[in-house]
Amino acid sequence: MNSRRKFDSIADSRTKVRKHAVSINDSAKWQRSGNFIPKRKEAVLKSSPSQKGYFESITEIDQLLRMWLKVRNARSTRPRYVRFNENRLKNLKVIQYRLRTDTFEFGPYQYFIVKEKTRRSVANAPLKDRPPHWLIYEHLMSQWQRRFIHDCYGNLPGKGTHAAVKRLADWARKPSLTHALQIDISKYFSSIQHNYIKKVLLEREGNSHIRILIEGLIDSFVTSDEFDHLFEENSPYRLTKEKGIALGNLDSQIIANIYLNEFD
């Protein structure tokens, strides 16, 4: 019995020695190749937004062209869209260069008034901004969509006004639900504080190029004093100078969703 135990002990020791030798050989092999990360983990890191290759991949010309085609869709006959499209490769290369060198600047905006139920001042971004808008939108969606509650509907795939109305109708038909709370934030887009939304967006963002682009987008628009008379002089709205996101930008709705995500 004792000899059997000795034999098992020796066998276990040899197995451990072999495993240790394999790990040493593997380590030496990785060091000689200049690669210290196992292939499985390396593949994950390459797709991580914090890596340099990620930003280069989403700013390739074919990706920017794909985003431009989304911008041009249904507006292809408008004169400025036709002019941009005639030199689209040249224009997209300029955008690509400025994105990759962190010198891209959003704006300037043109403004027009929309009168529906209320009077709204809409910011119309130049066409050069539109592909980067899509770039930021797709990036933020990949990072934030899974964090939103189920009943977040603004500018999300498969959501929107009709889906929200259907959800409300389903609730209204339930006898157990007898109360509803309707809340509206006055001048919501105009009152979003730059410092706070930057903190929320950037605290989980590891890619330096994306960080610079997001900061540039937010800083490109500042609310005017048009609505100051609606608020008291010592109110947070009046005291905060750097505030507001552009009503009309593709990214503004998802940024608005993110701003109140913790509240939801």
Side-chain angles (χ1 to χ4, degrees):
M1 190 69 177
N2 291 336
S3 61
R4 178 64 180 175
R5 287 177 179 173
K6 287 182 180 180
F7 177 81
D8 290 342
S9 177
I10 293 171
D12 289 342
S13 299
R14 288 177 176 175
T15 301
K16 290 178 181 178
V17 169
R18 288 195 196 99
K19 288 181 178 179
H20 183 63
V22 169
S23 65
I24 291 175
N25 291 336
D26 285 348
S27 178
K29 187 191 303 181
W30 291 91
Q31 291 178 11
R32 286 195 301 271
S33 65
N35 188 352
F36 300 95
I37 305 173
K39 290 182 179 179
R40 180 174 60 84
K41 292 183 179 180
E42 182 188 26
V44 174
L45 288 175
K46 280 186 176 179
S47 63
S48 171
S50 63
Q51 303 304 306
K52 181 179 178 181
Y54 169 80
F55 192 77
E56 291 182 349
S57 66
I58 63 175
T59 54
E60 291 289 353
I61 289 296
D62 61 335
Q63 291 296 320
L64 294 176
L65 178 60
R66 178 179 63 83
M67 296 169 193
W68 163 246
L69 292 177
K70 288 186 176 185
V71 173
R72 197 190 67 164
N73 184 31
R75 299 182 180 90
S76 58
T77 58
R78 296 183 182 180
R80 64 175 184 148
Y81 286 82
V82 172
R83 289 194 299 270
F84 189 100
N85 195 60
E86 287 174 350
N87 296 296
R88 60 183 178 274
L89 185 58
K90 177 182 177 181
N91 292 329
L92 293 175
K93 283 185 175 180
V94 172
I95 292 171
Q96 180 192 55
Y97 172 79
R98 291 177 179 173
L99 288 173
R100 290 183 171 182
T101 56
D102 297 328
T103 57
F104 187 88
E105 294 183 0
F106 291 96
Y109 297 98
Q110 294 180 342
Y111 299 89
F112 60 92
I113 302 299
V114 174
K115 295 180 180 179
E116 295 176 350
K117 291 183 178 180
T118 59
R119 180 179 179 274
R120 300 179 184 274
S121 177
V122 178
N124 188 15
L127 288 185
K128 68 174 179 62
D129 291 5
R130 305 299 179 87
H133 283 171
W134 271 101
L135 185 153
I136 294 174
Y137 173 79
E138 291 182 351
H139 176 77
L140 291 178
M141 283 293 295
S142 69
Q143 301 295 307
W144 282 92
Q145 187 175 9
R146 62 183 181 273
R147 298 174 187 158
F148 295 145
I149 64 170
H150 174 75
D151 293 304
C152 182
Y153 293 92
N155 201 29
L156 299 177
K159 298 292 186 72
T161 304
H162 293 290
V165 170
K166 183 179 182 301
R167 178 73 161 168
L168 179 61
D170 292 340
W171 281 339
R173 294 188 183 99
K174 292 183 179 180
S176 59
L177 299 179
T178 57
H179 294 78
L181 177 64
Q182 181 177 354
I183 299 176
D184 180 52
I185 300 176
S186 179
K187 308 305 175 189
Y188 177 45
F189 277 46
S190 300
S191 63
I192 288 179
Q193 297 181 5
H194 286 191
N195 287 340
Y196 179 77
I197 191 59
K198 284 181 188 178
K199 177 179 178 295
V200 172
L201 290 172
L202 300 180
E203 66 182 355
R204 302 184 184 185
E205 180 56 63
N207 189 289
S208 61
H209 296 288
I210 296 289
R211 292 174 67 91
I212 292 171
L213 203 56
I214 289 174
E215 286 188 287
L217 175 64
I218 294 171
D219 290 338
S220 69
F221 179 88
V222 177
T223 299
S224 68
D225 59 0
E226 180 183 2
F227 305 116
D228 282 4
H229 66 282
L230 299 175
F231 301 88
E232 296 181 3
E233 189 173 348
N234 60 348
S235 65
Y237 183 92
R238 294 280 293 271
L239 295 176
T240 304
K241 300 303 179 184
E242 295 182 352
K243 62 179 180 290
I245 55 176
L247 182 63
N249 274 0
L250 170 69
D251 302 315
S252 292
Q253 183 62 62
I254 188 172
I255 290 174
N257 291 344
I258 293 169
Y259 192 76
L260 282 184
N261 184 54
E262 292 300 321
F263 177 79
D264 290 339

